[in-house]
Amino acid sequence: MDEEEEEQMEIQTVASQLIDILALKIPAKHILPTVLSFASTNVHSDNERLRHAAVAVLGVVTEGCAEGVRAHSGTIIPSVVEKLSDPNASIRGAAAFTLGQFAEHLSLTMEDPEMHKRVLPALFNALPTEQVKSVQERMMYAMDAWLEDLAEEVGMYVKPLLDIVLLALDSGAKHHVREMLLSALASACASNGALVHPY
């Protein structure tokens, strides 16, 4: 990473922290309309930095603007899921982070019991072919967060999850990868251990 890239990363980090603080400290009506407008305008931009910012900012404001983001989740989530297959690794990572934030802060499985069907299959499809370590970690974080909220529905994900876990164990995947996958499996067990018993 050259000096210009490092400086750009520092600017992004500070901007992200500032937006997070604003979302947590002031009413969502002053933040969310601008965020949603920016995201919808730039999520399909040809400019990779704008695409990244559009996806990442949705995850950054989720905790502070949970109610407003939840109200728009039906239109936001498909756009974010689509970015799991973006050619740019940083955008794929931002999409996975944002999906994880949605699972942690929006209680989407209670609002819309079918929402996991839009997210988890895309994560299961993207993870095995992902080569970038940091993106793998964010995808596993998102997978873990979504699995933790499921109950009976977790059954449909046990087999694909075990396939990925076994592949990682058999291929000698790095320790942190195995640890995160086993954490996702633990979340599935916590949701409904009886559905894991047959395996």
Side-chain angles (χ1 to χ4, degrees), residues 28-147:
K29 66 183 181 181
H30 299 300
I31 298 287
L32 195 57
T34 303
V35 167
L36 293 176
S37 174
F38 174 81
S40 64
T41 301
N42 294 291
V43 72
H44 300 296
S45 172
D46 291 335
N47 183 315
E48 291 180 340
R49 287 184 177 170
L50 287 176
R51 263 196 338 272
H52 178 273
V55 174
V57 74
L58 292 170
V60 170
V61 301
T62 294
E63 183 178 3
C65 301
E67 189 176 328
V69 174
R70 188 184 302 114
H72 292 88
S73 61
T75 53
I76 293 172
I77 285 184
S79 295
V80 176
V81 166
E82 181 185 301
K83 296 305 165 203
L84 290 172
S85 57
D86 195 278
N88 183 291
S90 71
I91 296 168
R92 297 193 302 275
F97 164 76
T98 295
L99 291 171
Q101 290 291 289
F102 289 169
E104 280 196 40
H105 301 293
L106 301 185
S107 303
L108 290 172
T109 52
M110 294 178 72
E111 294 284 321
D112 180 353
E114 299 292 299
M115 190 65 77
H116 61 89
K117 293 180 182 176
R118 299 183 189 186
V119 177
L120 280 167
L123 286 165
F124 280 115
N125 186 53
L127 183 57
T129 57
E130 181 56 59
Q131 299 297 311
V132 179
K133 172 184 164 183
S134 60
V135 180
Q136 289 174 346
E137 290 174 350
R138 288 184 172 193
M139 287 180 175
M140 287 182 278
Y141 150 69
M143 191 181 298
D144 191 357
W146 278 87
L147 287 168

Side-chain angles (χ1 to χ4, degrees), residues 150-170:
L150 297 180
E152 291 296 323
E153 299 88 352
V154 80
M156 68 181 74
Y157 303 114
V158 172
K159 178 68 166 64
L161 176 58
L162 282 171
D163 287 344
I164 292 174
V165 170
L166 293 171
L167 179 65
L169 294 174
D170 289 344

